[in-house]
Amino acid sequence: MIPQKNQFSKANEWDEPEEEYIRAYSKAEIIALQQNNANKYPPVSPWKVVAAQTLVTMVSMVAWAVFGGSVGVSLYTQSAFLGGLISVLPTGLFLVRLELAKKTSKLKPEGFLAALVTGEFIKIATTLMLFLGIAYLVPGIAWVPLMVTYFLALKCMWLVYLWR
């Protein structure tokens, strides 16, 4: 049997609908949604992230001091400190850049975006300089404690969300 011309539907079930329905909210509805979300999800201070990174760095230093090679301040403890420093210092510089941008009298969205981009550039450049500086200037660095502490400090945003 040969299929006839218009036997099958032109619309495929995989096709997207032709027009999408977009609901316009009133100003009162937007304000109510914002207040509801603000009550459910209070904003997190970015300085709490820096505090959590510092705390995780100190805990990691103590752990490497106890469970590392020799008990006490050793190369493992110093390496853990440097790993935390590589995470805390750039984050602090980034936040200082954003705080300075907030204090300008005429902050427009494009100005804040420029501050965000330059702050992120400062953060990346500082991180790279710290890694390279430590690699060249600190003899016999223990890379495992440094990297473990660095990655733990980077994941502190999740710890701050648990504090809420």
Side-chain angles (χ1 to χ4, degrees):
M1 179 173 159
I2 299 174
Q4 298 298 318
K5 244 186 178 180
N6 289 326
Q7 184 177 359
F8 300 106
S9 169
K10 287 184 180 181
N12 190 353
E13 60 186 52
W14 293 99
D15 288 341
E16 296 284 328
E18 298 251 346
E19 87 182 42
E20 188 175 326
Y21 177 73
I22 299 173
R23 181 177 181 266
Y25 289 97
S26 68
K27 187 174 181 178
E29 289 174 323
I30 294 290
I31 291 172
L33 283 172
Q34 287 173 342
Q35 288 174 349
N36 187 24
N37 284 338
N39 293 335
K40 282 183 185 177
Y41 310 107
V44 175
S45 170
W47 292 105
K48 284 186 179 180
V49 175
V50 174
Q53 286 178 333
T54 305
L55 178 70
V56 165
T57 299
M58 287 190 269
V59 168
S60 179
M61 286 172 58
V62 169
W64 284 105
V66 172
F67 299 111
S70 61
V71 177
V73 177
S74 65
L75 184 63
Y76 291 127
T77 308
Q78 294 170 357
S79 299
F81 169 75
L82 291 174
L85 180 72
I86 292 173
S87 180
V88 172
L89 185 64
T91 304
L93 290 174
F94 175 74
L95 292 177
V96 167
R97 174 67 181 113
L98 289 185
E99 292 293 327
L100 290 174
K102 285 182 190 177
K103 291 182 180 178
T104 59
S105 60
K106 295 181 180 179
L107 183 64
K108 295 180 180 178
E110 60 269 9
F112 189 73
L113 180 63
L116 191 70
V117 170
T118 57
E120 191 64 32
F121 176 76
I122 290 168
K123 185 177 173 181
I124 292 170
T126 305
T127 303
L128 287 174
M129 286 190 298
L130 284 171
F131 267 119
L132 291 174
I134 287 170
Y136 284 114
L137 299 176
V138 180
I141 190 76
W143 284 99
V144 171
L146 185 138
M147 295 305 289
V148 166
T149 306
Y150 174 70
F151 286 125
L152 287 175
L154 281 181
K155 299 304 175 190
C156 281
M157 189 64 181
W158 298 105
L159 183 63
V160 170
Y161 277 116
L162 292 176
W163 276 355
R164 290 202 285 172

